[in-house]
Amino acid sequence: MMAHLDTFLPGDAALTLRTLGVSPLDAAYKLSSVLPNIISVPLSMNQSRGVLTATVKDIVDAMDSAQRVVRPPLPDRDAWLAGRGEPQPEHVLAATRPPPAALTPATIPEEVPALPTCFRPRHQLNEALKQSVINRQATASSVITTVTAPPRSKGAHTTTTSGMGGVGKTLSAAALCRDPEIGFAFESICWVSLGQEPEPFQLLKSLHVQLVGASLPDSASEARLALEALLAAAKGRRVLLVLDDVWSAEHAPPLSFVDTDAGSAIVVTTRMRDLMPGAAEIQCDVLSQPEALKVLLSAGGVMHLLESPPTAAIEAVERCGRLPLALTVAGALIDELADVWTQAESGLLDYLDDEIGGSSIEERVVAASLRVAPPEMRAGVQETAVLLSIFPEDQVVPVAALDAVSPLMLGVWDVGEERQRVRQLRRWLKQLIKANLIRGSLEDGVSVHDLIRDCLIRRAEARPGALLELQRAAVPLLLAAIVADTPAAKYASANLHRHVRSAMRQEATHDDELLLAVIGHEHATVRAQGALAIGAARLLAEADVLDAAGDHLTAARLVHSIVSLRGAAGDREAQRAWASLRRLEANGGGSEASRVLELELLSALLFGMKEVRIGSEEHNDALTRIGHLAKELKEGGAIAEQIFAAEVGLLNCSLFQAWTAEGLMGAHGLLTFQDVEKAHAIWRQADEHTQNIVALAPTATTKHNFLSTRLYYLIMNPRQHILPQFDLEECFGDGHWLRESVERYDFTTSHSVAKQAGQHLDNFTFAQAPIAMLFFFGDLAQARATLVKVIAAHKQMLARVRQGEATADGYKTEALHAGILVPTALLLMGESSLLRDFMTNSLHGVLLEDESVRGAAGTLADAFPISDDGHCLYKVDSVVLLNRAVAALLDDPSDASRAALREWLPPAAELSHIAEFEL
């Protein structure tokens, strides 16, 4: 046990040793070499607590009574390290005991690669990395002495581990992140893999989620602003940042957000020596022959041969260059060849040698591994391997994504039934995992080391059309997965841009039918991915060329894709695309297609943009234009899809006209009865348009989304309820359509449809349905069940924001309305536990602690005008006040809670002013 002191010592104890200037590995070396010669009391960690306590007491007594002796000479350190063996189970048990309650190790993000089962720790390399990282961390940390710390220099917080591909740099860094001592030395661990063509903005988004558990604020719309947000979030925190697979020194600074004065550290893995000036550099060399034999025999499941390894094993490790990557693949060959692997003929060496001379080590082992697959599986395994070449470098690929593109596999599908095809693909993937050609699992996804990926790419390049045509064939399959919302949709929605980029030819975007299909797609997600792949600068430049040539519709489509990418920050691009369409109309070239596109752009300007203020001249121009476009489409004999778009446009116009009548577009004090009657007449017009939309809806999901919109203007504008013209039965009937809409709502399918249609809002999450059930039907049971569903949707939205899949700004309207209606309903029903759940797991609930959510609420408030006398829709301070008030109602009453309430609760006069002046 003492020989492995450094591997099982808890992080806090190891940190204490380092504080005293003692390396845990050095302590293990000396204690294990000396103590057995002085004390012979046996110790087994598998004994009971009582036995262990007594044994430790015996050891202490023996140490106290030991005679002073001359210390025996220490063995050679390298020989001791090589011969100490692996930790026994009881040592591992000791290592996994929980740390002291006062210390919490840093969470290991899912981006850190999992260690394969055949991974063998490289103790000297790990110790050198740990020594460098923690010593540099110690120079600035308040909890570690700096007396013996070396002077800091430029780059001294950075450690690079360099070495050739396949030598084990990434896994050594992953093992470092999992080291308990490292976990206790840092508050956070963050990891990104860069590769040869990193995407800084995408990587920064991932880092922000890892660091703070939330997506970047909406203001951080580019890499420079994202880095600033990360620098602010990391201020004063001890963070270990790992930049894996760095190819250029220029790639690291745009991602280096850590606060070095707080004791943070950066680890860079790279194939380049002297990459980072001023950084400590640790060379990751090939394994020694004993270490290489351990890796090979462990991967082959024949570790019992380690004491006397066969000649074939010794020769194999040399032919594999003692590279861990090649050795793990070769080890899997041992397992596959079974008892014949040591034979000269058809054995391991025969397979490793039977390749074209001059090929690389990794090429030889990959080819050998593919050839040794069982004959009935070989073609499928090889095709699956080639298929993996289309996926991005350093990407964990869900098996569902492979299912989506599996039709590209040639000559292997001899069965027609989908379920059988799925089973076959999984059998082939399992074989590749068993062969150590890919890592991961069928459940969590698979990944390919970049060296092996290079081998697979060479196989793809040897085909007709090469990898380019394979990627071009993959893009439509991934598009289909998004449209059908299959299990592959999540992967495709996040990574389509990488496949599109790899599928791009030399010609201009507007000359490539595949690119035009992507950027002109009906799904905003697809358009955004296309814009990300091609680049906003190129799209804008091409749009200028097209406008000059008179092709204004294609120009608008190119720029519209940027609007889809930038969302609420795409004001200028939306206006730019609209300008192209106006030029098209002015030249007499307008068409149904251009008018449908213009309607979509104008809806985005009305509901999503930050700089187009409601009630402004531009806003009013957009409303007027929507009315004209919709009328032209309806009167021009358009097809059902275009009439649907026209009705949606007319509905949007009605909504703004009714809000204007009620004073929301330009708050003007108290409303009159006549104002409410005028607004109600417009709401009835809106209802007619909604009924037409529901009748024309292409899917049931779309239909019920617009029924939720109908519920919005029936519930959220309650002044009309006092009018004799308001007919409750006419609006709701027996409540059948209301209950059906609730039952049909499913976040997975309904949410994405709602966010891409109409007002680009998920109206179900506003919680109007349970309000209607309470007030109009008195159905408490159904109201509660619906609120549970609403809260579940808000949990999903919060998770999407925290995972970087959406932004708080994109959900600002849903958060505001739910923040009013959900607490209202739950307080009326006395459902404090559900309310607490909502306040803990929703964007509205985290408003006080999350700056991006507060900022989004402010953006929505700023979009509405304020009258000269101060009337307005609402102020963001009032939303914060509402949030605090609900939280206070959930507190247990006590002197402390009442004192806290008095700290922030405004006086009655101020509350009355808010009630009077904010609608």
Side-chain angles (χ1 to χ4, degrees), residues 440-490:
S441 66
L442 299 184
E443 296 77 19
D444 300 326
V446 297
S447 62
V448 186
H449 190 283
D450 55 356
L451 283 182
I452 293 178
R453 180 173 175 269
D454 289 343
C455 298
L456 303 182
I457 288 174
R458 285 191 283 272
R459 282 164 171 71
E461 292 287 359
R463 296 185 169 203
L467 184 61
L468 174 66
E469 293 306 316
L470 195 61
Q471 285 283 21
R472 290 183 69 84
V475 169
L477 295 173
L478 294 171
L479 288 181
I482 294 173
V483 171
D485 198 24
T486 69
K490 182 176 181 180

Side-chain angles (χ1 to χ4, degrees), residues 29-100:
Y29 163 58
K30 292 177 179 178
L31 290 172
S32 65
S33 301
V34 173
L35 284 182
N37 297 311
I38 302 174
I39 301 167
S40 58
V41 178
L43 174 64
S44 171
M45 298 304 293
N46 290 326
Q47 298 294 333
S48 68
R49 181 182 181 90
V51 172
L52 281 174
T53 301
T55 304
V56 170
K57 184 177 184 303
D58 290 342
I59 291 174
V60 172
D61 291 341
M63 293 175 68
D64 289 340
S65 61
Q67 300 296 316
R68 184 179 181 85
V69 296
V70 177
R71 190 191 74 186
L74 294 172
D76 178 78
R77 197 173 190 272
D78 290 339
W80 170 83
L81 191 62
R84 68 172 176 164
E86 297 300 315
Q88 297 303 308
E90 66 243 33
H91 304 161
V92 176
L93 179 66
T96 58
R97 69 180 185 270

